[in-house]
Amino acid sequence: MASHPTTEPTAFHAALRNQFETFLDEHRGALHDSLNGLTEEQARRSLVTSRTTLLGLVKHTTFVEKVWFDEAITCRPRSEIGIPDTPDESFVLGDDDTIASVQDAYRQACAASRRATAELTPDDVVRGNRRGPLPLRWVYLHMLRELAQHCGHADILREQILGGTARTD
């Protein structure tokens, strides 16, 4: 059974930043682990009309981490970061994309996100997003919304792939 650190009593009274990080990490872990126990074919299986596959979804969340915690904070362009120009392109899988490589890239992106925000407060303003200057608090909330949606997508895709077999991790 998956752990839920957001329901631990210490999370109830933690500082706001720690609460954001705890919720983000819980969702990050769920997305990462959504690929566990699948074959490469299962992870690449297309079950919807869009480009979304379970492997592509985790690859996309790597892109999202880099947009919000690299581009927005460092102001580096996407071309320098090495990510696609559009979210839709971030779902495209290459021949070299495997469960292990996509999970590794996602772990690395999440670790880089934590480092990028380590010295910031929720009230600090980040200036590299295309929407203009935004408080880090807004970025955290946006990421929570995005990751929560993608966790739901991942649960449904995984259930379809496994034929209704419940996840036990």
Side-chain angles (χ1 to χ4, degrees):
M1 178 111 164
S3 131
H4 297 286
T6 55
T7 62
E8 294 296 321
T10 55
F12 300 159
H13 305 290
L16 179 63
R17 178 194 154 80
N18 294 27
Q19 289 176 329
F20 280 139
E21 292 286 342
T22 299
F23 273 79
L24 281 170
D25 282 343
E26 185 172 295
H27 287 79
R28 288 167 172 155
L31 280 163
H32 175 278
D33 294 349
S34 69
L35 295 170
N36 289 351
L38 299 180
T39 67
E40 296 294 333
E41 181 278 325
Q42 288 173 319
R44 287 176 169 269
R45 192 175 296 165
S46 179
L47 300 166
V48 294
T49 58
S50 69
R51 290 182 171 174
T52 305
T53 63
L54 197 48
L55 189 63
L57 187 62
V58 177
K59 185 175 180 179
H60 167 72
T61 55
T62 301
F63 164 84
V64 171
E65 289 282 339
K66 291 179 178 187
V67 165
W68 289 104
F69 294 111
D70 191 336
E71 180 183 37
I73 292 173
T74 69
C75 302
R76 295 187 317 150
R78 291 179 184 190
S79 59
E80 184 180 322
I81 297 168
I83 58 175
D85 286 330
T86 67
D88 191 50
E89 293 172 276
S90 70
F91 285 91
V92 175
L93 296 172
D95 291 340
D96 58 340
D97 287 320
T98 64
I99 292 170
S101 71
V102 168
Q103 283 182 318
D104 185 54
Y106 188 49
R107 278 191 305 273
Q108 288 180 35
C110 293
S113 295
R114 287 184 210 96
R115 286 190 304 274
T117 59
E119 302 300 319
L120 301 176
T121 71
D123 293 324
D124 284 335
V125 174
V126 299
R127 302 191 181 284
N129 186 266
R130 296 173 180 191
R131 290 174 177 84
L134 297 165
L136 182 60
R137 169 190 326 271
W138 189 93
V139 172
Y140 278 141
L141 290 168
H142 175 78
M143 280 297 295
L144 284 170
R145 175 179 59 197
E146 179 117 5
L147 293 178
Q149 287 175 320
H150 291 328
C151 280
H153 299 145
D155 283 345
I156 291 168
L157 290 171
R158 188 174 169 93
E159 184 177 334
Q160 287 179 314
I161 289 165
L162 297 176
T165 304
R167 182 164 55 177
T168 59
D169 54 357

